[in-house]
Amino acid sequence: MKLVLLSGGSGKRLWPLSNDARSKQFLKVLTNEFADKESMVQRVWGQLAKNDLAKDSIIATSKNQVDMIHNQIGVGVPMVVEPERRDTFPAIALAAVYLYDVKGCSPSEVVAMLPVDPYVEDHFFSKVKELEDILLESDADLALMGVTPTYPSKKYGYIVPKTADEKHYVTVDSFKEKPNEATATELITNDALWNCGVFAFRLDYILNLLKEKGLPIQYDALLKQYPLLPKTSFDYEVVERANHIVALPYDGFWKDLGTWNTLTEEMASNLVGKGIIDETLENSHIVNELDIPIALIGLENVIIAASPDGILVSNKDASAKVKDYVNGFAGRPMYEERRWGWYRVLEYTKYEEGNEVLTKRIGINAGKNLSYHVHYKRSEIWTVIKGDGVLVLDDQVRHVRSGDVLHIPLATKHAIRATTDMEFIEVQTGSELVEEDVHRFAMKWEDIEDIMRAYMLSN
């Protein structure tokens, strides 16, 4: 059985820490067994490894999350990357075709899809392994995992079973999405399960569905036609139309950490970052990524979350509503983790004359490098404030260290590699400061060195 972890969406219910580049699964607010901070995706990938499932797992994601995944899990993690965000059905279809056409999986291979961010016990993933057996035993179209409810929650969808039988799985009758408390209570008395978003199918089930829609089952061809796929959820496009669905009950711990209300329940401390909380307060948290202190006094059941993208002050029970308000805050992410390190935007100004100035603090991890690239709409000045490294400027190599000021003129090829952990202040000045003005020649340092050698031989 193959596993596909779905890593998409912007997680705006956890704004301002989450944004289009840093979704909720990448926030390092949990604590692992060694008392180190970790993200949801790091936790889940570690649990897959403990259950011997990581080797059979891939991550389906969007292109703006690739660097974050590399940064947090490693460059070797297998991924299938959407050319654009379209919802869960297109993402799962692309992953299925990737497994079939690129990885050579048999059409009869069982594939399980699951979110990249469930907060569960390790035992949850040993239960996932059973999906293959019950799918084959029942000859169902889909096999789901349902969690035994612990209270009548209005936050989750419910799997409604048909009459119970003696099997270790149930046949699904219907679904009820986020009912009111009275309905949820009634559903629980009828053995309904929380739907935890995990499902398995034979690969040919999705491949045949794509062929019926006139879509290719070759990976490169589907990539080209990806914008033509219906922008809809897998639940709507597949689950609601399946004829035979079974569900495997799971009675262990499971929680969706999709809101500040649920996330703070699993945080080891009520204060992350600079700040103070009145010790008499109950169930109040500060998560502060800014270098200024925050004081919380006299407000209970409150979350204060602060990042370079903004500041949220909310009653926890209402905090999920933030998603409805932040769509108007369109703009560049103010903090990102990349495969080489991280950056934080310090200031951005657009003048009436049309020119723009953007100031960043950039950190590059030892042994990592920025790509060899060029800009045609901006120049840059780098002031090295920590560490040392190697700079390539128009095929010329020089060593740089703390205190150096480096000028990168317009249309000049450049790259840098950190020998030790390195930080510098970058000031961009130009007519348009956008990612589309990054034109790359090489990503890996080995390839950049090959370019240098070719230049030296030609001169």
Side-chain angles (χ1 to χ4, degrees), residues 164-176:
D165 53 33
E166 296 180 357
K167 298 184 178 68
H168 60 289
Y169 60 87
V170 299
T171 302
V172 176
D173 179 67
S174 61
F175 300 88
K176 186 68 175 179

Side-chain angles (χ1 to χ4, degrees), residues 4-9 21 23 25-26 58-69 78-85 91 94-95 116 219 226:
V4 178
L5 277 69
L6 301 175
S7 178
S23 300
Q25 60 266 30
F26 302 116
I58 66 171
I59 297 179
T61 189
S62 55
K63 57 185 178 181
N64 61 347
Q65 292 186 3
V66 170
D67 272 4
M68 189 75 76
I69 292 170
M79 283 185 282
V80 55
V81 182
E82 296 178 272
E84 61 179 70
R85 280 182 178 162
L94 187 66
V116 76
Y219 183 68
Y226 198 74

Side-chain angles (χ1 to χ4, degrees), residues 418-429:
T419 306
T420 62
D421 286 348
M422 192 176 192
E423 293 184 21
F424 57 89
I425 303 298
E426 175 185 85
V427 181
Q428 303 175 8
T429 306

Side-chain angles (χ1 to χ4, degrees), residues 360-377:
K360 292 181 178 180
R361 182 169 182 160
I362 296 175
I364 306 177
N365 299 329
K368 302 292 185 178
N369 66 276
L370 302 187
S371 65
Y372 196 32
H373 62 282
V374 67
H375 310 292
Y376 296 109
K377 296 182 179 181

Side-chain angles (χ1 to χ4, degrees), residues 90-351:
I92 289 170
L94 187 66
V97 170
Y98 173 83
L99 289 171
Y100 168 70
D101 187 47
V102 178
K103 304 303 290 184
C105 292
S106 165
S108 61
E109 179 83 54
V110 173
V111 180
M113 301 281 169
L114 61 155
V116 76
D117 56 358
Y119 193 77
V120 293
E121 303 161 303
D122 293 348
H123 170 62
F124 177 87
F125 295 98
S126 64
K127 203 71 175 176
V128 169
K129 295 179 183 179
E130 297 180 26
L131 288 176
E132 181 173 19
D133 292 335
I134 72 163
L135 187 72
L136 300 177
E137 180 183 335
S138 64
D139 197 32
D141 298 327
L142 297 169
L144 313 183
M145 273 188 66
V147 177
T148 304
T150 54
Y151 67 100
S153 172
K154 299 182 290 184
K155 298 180 294 185
Y156 304 134
Y158 286 74
I159 299 171
V160 182
K162 292 182 179 178
T163 304
D165 53 33
E166 296 180 357
K167 298 184 178 68
H168 60 289
Y169 60 87
V170 299
T171 302
V172 176
D173 179 67
S174 61
F175 300 88
K176 186 68 175 179
E177 186 64 22
K178 297 180 181 178
N180 59 40
E181 187 171 329
T183 303
T185 301
E186 183 180 351
L187 289 170
I188 292 174
T189 61
N190 292 319
D191 299 320
L193 305 167
W194 284 339
N195 186 359
C196 58
V198 176
F199 36 82
F201 49 79
R202 295 178 187 84
L203 204 50
D204 59 4
Y205 182 69
I206 300 301
L207 298 177
N208 290 334
L209 180 61
L210 290 174
K211 287 189 283 188
E212 289 172 9
K213 293 178 178 292
L215 293 164
I217 58 172
Q218 291 74 40
Y219 183 68
D220 289 340
L222 188 61
L223 274 178
K224 293 177 182 178
Q225 295 191 33
Y226 198 74
L228 302 179
L229 268 68
K231 193 172 185 179
T232 185
S233 71
F234 188 82
D235 287 46
Y236 174 78
E237 195 70 25
V238 178
V239 178
E240 291 186 9
R241 305 182 187 192
N243 295 317
H244 185 193
I245 304 175
V246 295
L248 178 65
Y250 167 69
D251 59 4
F253 181 82
W254 172 88
K255 182 181 283 188
D256 175 12
L257 303 185
T259 67
W260 283 114
N261 202 359
T262 55
L263 180 59
T264 52
E265 290 174 354
E266 304 304 328
M267 289 170 51
S269 171
N270 65 347
L271 174 62
V272 177
K274 284 187 177 182
I276 57 170
I277 298 178
D278 181 352
E279 60 183 17
T280 65
L281 298 182
E282 294 184 5
N283 196 33
S284 288
H285 284 72
I286 293 175
V287 182
N288 183 13
E289 292 188 334
L290 302 178
D291 195 28
I292 55 174
I294 294 175
L296 177 54
I297 302 169
L299 296 174
E300 295 188 338
N301 196 40
V302 163
I303 174 65
I304 298 180
S307 84
D309 283 301
I311 298 173
L312 169 70
V313 181
S314 173
N315 178 279
K316 286 188 180 179
D317 294 335
S319 63
K321 293 180 181 178
V322 68
K323 183 178 181 180
D324 301 329
Y325 295 99
V326 299
N327 290 329
F329 296 162
R332 66 176 71 243
M334 304 295 282
Y335 175 84
E336 285 194 54
E337 291 180 29
R338 295 292 185 93
R339 58 178 177 79
W340 38 261
W342 54 270
Y343 77 78
R344 185 187 301 273
V345 173
L346 303 179
E347 184 179 60
Y348 169 68
T349 304
K350 185 172 184 177
Y351 293 96

